[in-house]
Amino acid sequence: MKELFTTLQQRLSEIVIGQAAIANGLLVALLAEGHVILEGVPGTAKTLLVKLLARLIQAEFRRIQLTPDVLPADILGTSIFDFNSRTFRLRKGPIFTQVLLADEINRTPPKTQAALLEAMEERQVTLDGTTLPLSGLFWAIATQNPLEFEGTYPLPEAQLDRFLFKLVVPYPAATAERQMLDNALEGFEARDLDQLNLAPLVTVDQVLAARQQVRQTHVEPPVLDYLLALVQASRQHPELLLGASPRSAIGWLRATQAQAWLEGREYVTPEDVKAIAVPLLQHRLILKPEAQLDGTTVEQVIHGILAKVPVPR
């Protein structure tokens, strides 16, 4: 089973050049049952990565292009009156899928953003008083552009906390970008994945089975205590207004198990805990105003906490 996911990771990195770390983060989140924010400037293959991964695991994929005029019903669905039968018929929205890409999530108002909350946390949707289950795989990936703030609606803390990771997608290195240009000359078109004749590598059932295996990855008490000490340190940090939540602690645990499992180990190490820290915490921690004025960044605070808390030996 692990070999399948190693092959999957390699295939993602071969097609989306220069984003191996982001591909790894997506797989860790998938196995840890955690939703993801992909943040990056336009043209850094955020959408391509998600579409490609959904295709390689044979998952149903839907994309919502979020704008200020998108309503909750456009995502969840609504009841429509059928004049023939003279009854209301439920028309399900795009959220009823396995992999959902919410493109530019910060461009839609808070009311529409909130439409995702129940689905992300409980994997169900309530419409007209009826609760409808979502797919067992249900996985939401949201994208946002960090540079354009005009006409955007920053996500509230309650919604940010429902995302396991915030993965910042960088520009590719020069060598990787040169390979992209060579691929373009040879006819590669990111908008047309059919030309690649992609053979699926993993099934949805195998993803669900792998998630169960991930949960069996052993965590020694000292490693668990180390993770808890990091969470507590974030809540007591003098430069932070808001530290890590209990939900983030559980997500951190699951993500470290997934990281270890992907690397072929049956146990979690302190290095796994540290490797997950930045993507897991950077969207959850809130700096005090005076720390912001001093030019302190959340990432600096995270690295400071990691340096301060003793690592178990």
Side-chain angles (χ1 to χ4, degrees), residues 37 105-107 113 142 144 153-160 163:
I37 296 174
I105 191 171
N106 56 337
R107 290 205 171 278
Q113 293 173 1
Q144 60 183 23
Y153 306 84
L155 273 67
E157 289 74 21
Q159 181 146 5
L160 286 171
F163 287 97

Side-chain angles (χ1 to χ4, degrees), residues 50-291:
V50 180
K51 288 173 64 177
L52 180 61
L53 181 53
R55 183 168 295 202
L56 290 174
I57 66 173
Q58 305 178 62
E60 182 184 1
F61 170 81
R62 291 193 182 181
R63 175 183 178 181
I64 312 168
Q65 187 64 49
L66 294 170
T67 57
D69 60 345
V70 172
L71 300 174
D74 297 326
I75 299 174
L76 304 179
T78 188
S79 293
I80 298 176
F81 187 74
D82 188 328
F83 286 96
N84 294 324
S85 63
R86 295 187 178 277
T87 59
F88 283 94
R89 177 172 54 84
L90 178 64
R91 184 181 68 183
K92 293 182 177 180
I95 202 166
F96 289 90
T97 188
Q98 292 175 320
V99 178
L100 177 72
L101 176 62
D103 228 347
E104 297 193 85
I105 191 171
N106 56 337
R107 290 205 171 278
T108 201
K111 183 178 181 179
T112 305
Q113 293 173 1
L116 294 168
L117 292 180
E118 182 184 12
M120 292 172 63
E121 186 66 17
E122 302 175 40
R123 286 183 171 79
Q124 65 182 31
V125 170
T126 302
L127 288 173
D128 295 336
T130 302
T131 299
L132 304 171
L134 295 174
S135 164
L137 180 73
F138 179 73
W139 190 39
I141 299 97
T143 69
Q144 60 183 23
N145 181 350
L147 298 180
E148 295 181 10
F149 297 104
E150 186 175 351
T152 62
Y153 306 84
L155 273 67
E157 289 74 21
Q159 181 146 5
L160 286 171
D161 197 46
R162 283 169 166 79
F163 287 97
L164 178 67
F165 285 163
K166 175 183 171 182
L167 300 175
V168 179
V169 185
Y171 285 120
T175 53
E177 199 157 7
R178 172 56 190 270
Q179 181 62 53
M180 290 168 54
L181 295 175
D182 289 339
N183 291 348
L185 286 174
E186 293 172 5
F188 175 74
E189 286 286 351
R191 67 175 68 92
D192 182 17
L193 293 180
D194 292 333
Q195 66 176 322
L196 298 177
N197 296 318
L198 294 172
L201 299 176
V202 180
T203 66
V204 169
D205 287 341
Q206 286 173 324
V207 172
L208 297 177
R211 285 177 171 180
Q212 294 305 311
Q213 289 187 18
V214 164
R215 292 199 171 210
Q216 304 306 312
T217 305
H218 185 65
V219 184
E220 290 283 349
V223 176
L224 201 59
D225 290 338
Y226 175 58
L227 189 155
L228 180 59
L230 291 170
V231 170
Q232 294 288 332
S234 75
R235 297 172 187 167
Q236 300 162 7
H237 198 283
E239 294 182 301
L240 290 179
L241 192 64
L242 182 68
S245 68
R247 181 191 286 120
S248 69
I250 295 171
W252 203 340
L253 172 63
R254 297 298 182 210
T256 58
Q257 290 177 301
Q259 178 75 21
W261 188 87
L262 272 176
E263 293 184 1
R265 284 183 279 106
E266 297 180 355
Y267 57 90
V268 172
T269 69
E271 290 305 314
D272 294 322
V273 178
K274 293 168 71 174
I276 298 300
V278 171
L280 185 127
L281 294 176
Q282 63 184 339
H283 59 297
R284 290 183 162 100
L285 307 184
I286 298 180
L287 292 167
K288 290 181 177 178
E290 52 269 32

Side-chain angles (χ1 to χ4, degrees), residues 5-27 45 48-49 52-53 56 172 176-177 179-180 183 188 196 198 201:
F5 284 85
T6 300
T7 304
L8 176 60
Q9 187 174 359
Q10 292 171 348
R11 189 68 174 129
L12 284 171
S13 300
E14 289 170 2
I15 298 174
V16 184
I17 308 295
Q19 301 294 0
I22 303 300
N24 179 75
L26 283 172
L27 283 181
L48 175 61
L49 259 173
L52 180 61
L53 181 53
L56 290 174
E177 199 157 7
Q179 181 62 53
M180 290 168 54
N183 291 348
F188 175 74
L196 298 177
L198 294 172
L201 299 176

